[in-house]
Each structure stands twice: as structure tokens, then as C-alpha cells.
Amino acid sequence: MDEPPVGTAKGLLYFTDGTLAYAGHHLHEGDHPVHTHSFVEIAVVTGGQGVHRSLDGRRELGVGEVTLLRPGVWHGYEGCRGLDLYNCCFSTELLQRELAWTREDPFLGYLLWTGPHSMRRRGMLTTRLDARTLKEAVVHLDALDRLGREPADRHRGDIIGRLALFLGHLARAVAGERGADPGPGPVHPAVAEAMRLLEARPEHRWTLTELADRLHLAPRYLVRLFKSATGLPPMAYLARHRVERAAALLLHTDQSITQIGRSVGWADQNHFARRFKAHYGLPASAYRQRFRHHPGRLEPAVPRDG
């Protein structure tokens, strides 16, 4: 069997060159130490039991449970008994390029962009799939697993298509739990453009007035549109993006914390420290020390028959 398109460096998972997305089984027994990662991870429970540990506390896991984690979120597992997770991972670059259109889809936009940051979720979103939906989702995960062993440049459309189909199942499940209207209209184009502008230049000293001027809208109208689509005002959304970017820099660069704060738009180190700790529950220095050197590992599950 070919090696999966992920590797480890200092214990952290990373994508190998050319990888678009990854899906594969991982089996946990006992405790799996707290760790983090700099890509989007979706863990689907397909067997066994365990407890998920995160900043939100401890959550019992059973078959059908799904946990989506934005980059930088730390988590781990405890008391696992044959906990079989189907992990699906993809980079923020894929999210911002090939999946950029999902911003304007009301269900996928909530799943990937805004839901994990709303209601103080701190970058996490959970749902539960019924037996039928789980079976359908696993079909696409199995296909992604197989495609991961093929040349990405020859199967790019297949990979993105399968990932989108899998995400569609999750988005509808989340919408059902929220009681969302099955036929909402698209997200206003100004909201999607505002998100792109903020993410492209996190180091810029954005103000609501400047952002609204760029979009040719009144500031109060922009806030109303943005909150309606995302649950957050624009500057709060920017803060979420900045802490994710800072977390990635803490894990993968040797820049000082002062340099990182400035590079994401927070030159005031006290302000940066407060924002980072509020989001991740740890000071930036403790986050770097803990997760650069003490991450967890994923153990491949035994291949299934058929």
C-alpha cells in the first residue's frame, strides 16, 4: 500500500507536496494526548467509544458523532475503546481557493466559515449523523481515501468534488440541528468580499469605516449584512482570523511572539495576549511550548475487508 499523503514533523501532521485533501481511518485505544494542527480537520466516529477533550470540555463520542476543528484548535481523546475515527483533513489554502465559493452558500458557509466561530465555539463545530447519512458520508470518505493514493494533478476535480459531497452531508445535518430554513437565499456578495479583504491583509489596521468604504456601503448596513450571514460583526470575524494565523506562526516559525503579534495586526502585545488567550485558553507562549514539542500521534486503523 502506498504511503498516505500526510507526514509528520516534530510530531505534527502536515500535508506532503501536492496534497489537496486527506481522508483515512485512525484507531484510538486508551488516551490520545492533546494536540493541534494547522489545517481543517473533521473527525467522524465510525466505531467504538471515547471522550473528546477540548477547550469546550469533555464530550462523549459514539458512532455518528462528528467534530469539525478549524486550524489551531487543540483537542485530544480519553478513555478510548476501539474508537475508529475517519479523519478528513484539508488545508486553509484549499478552503480559500478551490472552496472559496462555499462562503456564499448558506449551509456550507456556516459549516466551514462562520459556525465554528459563532456562539463562542472557539473554532469547533459538532453534529451527529444518522445511520443513513453516515453511510452516505463514508462512501465519499472512502473515495477520498483511494484518491489520496493517485496523482493529485490528474484527479484534482475528483478530489474536490468528493470533498464537496462529503461536506454537503455535514452541512445539511448541522442545518437540521439548527432548524434552519431548507431554502435560504445566498449570502450577500458584499459579505463574502469583506471576508476576502480581511483575510488577505490581516496585518492592516482595518476599521469598519474603511472596510465599508471599500465595499461602497454604509458601515451600519455592512454590520447588519455581516452579522445576518455570519453571526459576527466584521471586526470580530477579523479577530478570529488573526488568532488562527498567529497559531500557525507559533507552530511553524521561529518568529518571536512580538513579531507574530505585529504580523497579524496586533502591534499592542497586551491586546494580542488577551485576544489569543481568550480564543485558545492558553497564553501564546504556553501554546507554542506545549504543541510544538508535545503533539499527539495518529495510528492507522486495521484495513477493513472489502
Side-chain angles (χ1 to χ4, degrees):
M1 182 180 294
D2 295 334
E3 289 298 316
V6 292
T8 58
K10 298 180 180 178
L12 288 170
L13 283 176
Y14 68 90
F15 291 116
T16 55
D17 290 344
T19 301
L20 293 175
Y22 162 76
H25 278 284
H26 298 280
L27 185 65
H28 297 295
E29 295 288 353
D31 295 341
H32 180 66
V34 168
H35 61 285
T36 189
H37 40 74
S38 54
F39 46 80
V40 178
E41 177 182 335
I42 304 172
V44 182
V45 180
T46 57
Q49 295 177 314
V51 175
H52 185 254
R53 178 188 173 194
S54 70
L55 189 58
D56 269 350
R58 289 169 169 80
R59 175 172 170 251
E60 295 281 345
L61 296 177
V63 174
E65 299 288 345
V66 180
T67 306
L68 181 147
L69 304 109
R70 291 278 306 186
V73 177
W74 58 264
H75 70 129
Y77 299 96
E78 299 176 346
C80 300
R81 300 185 298 280
L83 182 65
D84 189 352
L85 297 178
Y86 218 140
N87 286 90
C88 178
C89 309
F90 53 95
S91 68
T92 54
E93 289 76 18
L94 180 70
L95 188 59
Q96 292 168 350
R97 290 198 306 261
E98 285 88 349
L99 295 178
W101 61 271
T102 60
R103 298 176 193 267
E104 299 178 42
D105 181 276
F107 290 166
L108 288 168
Y110 186 85
L111 175 75
L112 296 172
W113 297 93
T114 62
H117 290 318
S118 63
M119 300 174 64
R120 298 187 178 182
R121 290 194 180 99
R122 293 169 170 169
M124 288 180 47
L125 194 62
T126 62
T127 190
R128 189 178 188 282
L129 304 181
D130 59 36
R132 178 180 176 181
T133 305
L134 176 62
K135 184 177 180 180
E136 293 171 346
V138 167
V139 168
H140 301 305
L141 290 171
D142 283 339
L144 275 173
D145 189 7
R146 292 191 297 271
L147 285 166
R149 292 163 173 77
E150 301 293 339
D153 58 346
R154 297 183 61 184
H155 296 83
R156 194 176 193 87
D158 304 84
I159 294 169
I160 296 168
R162 283 292 186 177
L163 178 59
L165 288 168
F166 166 63
L167 294 173
H169 286 296
L170 300 190
R172 287 188 291 275
V174 170
E177 289 182 355
R178 295 169 58 215
D181 183 346
V187 173
H188 195 287
V191 175
E193 182 60 20
M195 293 167 72
R196 293 187 187 99
L197 289 171
L198 296 173
E199 290 168 6
R201 298 177 64 197
E203 76 287 351
H204 183 65
R205 297 182 67 178
W206 286 101
T207 65
L208 178 61
T209 299
E210 179 187 0
L211 182 62
D213 286 346
R214 291 282 299 272
L215 298 167
H216 308 291
L217 297 173
R220 292 177 66 181
Y221 182 55
L222 174 60
V223 170
R224 188 158 65 250
L225 286 176
F226 208 98
K227 288 188 70 174
S228 176
T230 71
L232 297 169
M235 295 302 104
Y237 181 84
L238 173 61
R240 302 298 194 276
H241 178 69
R242 282 173 166 168
V243 294
E244 282 190 359
R245 177 62 182 155
L249 293 171
L250 287 165
L251 293 174
H252 300 298
T253 76
D254 293 321
Q255 294 180 36
S256 69
I257 292 176
T258 298
Q259 289 174 317
I260 290 173
R262 289 173 178 165
S263 72
V264 301
W266 285 322
D268 183 331
Q269 289 306 293
N270 289 328
H271 185 67
F272 171 43
R274 290 195 301 271
R275 287 285 194 168
F276 192 92
K277 186 174 181 180
H279 189 75
Y280 290 118
L282 292 169
S285 58
Y287 182 95
R288 167 177 267 175
Q289 181 179 14
R290 182 169 190 176
F291 297 125
R292 284 190 72 176
H293 304 293
H294 302 286
R297 293 180 181 274
L298 292 176
E299 298 178 0
V302 175
R304 298 183 173 198
D305 294 336

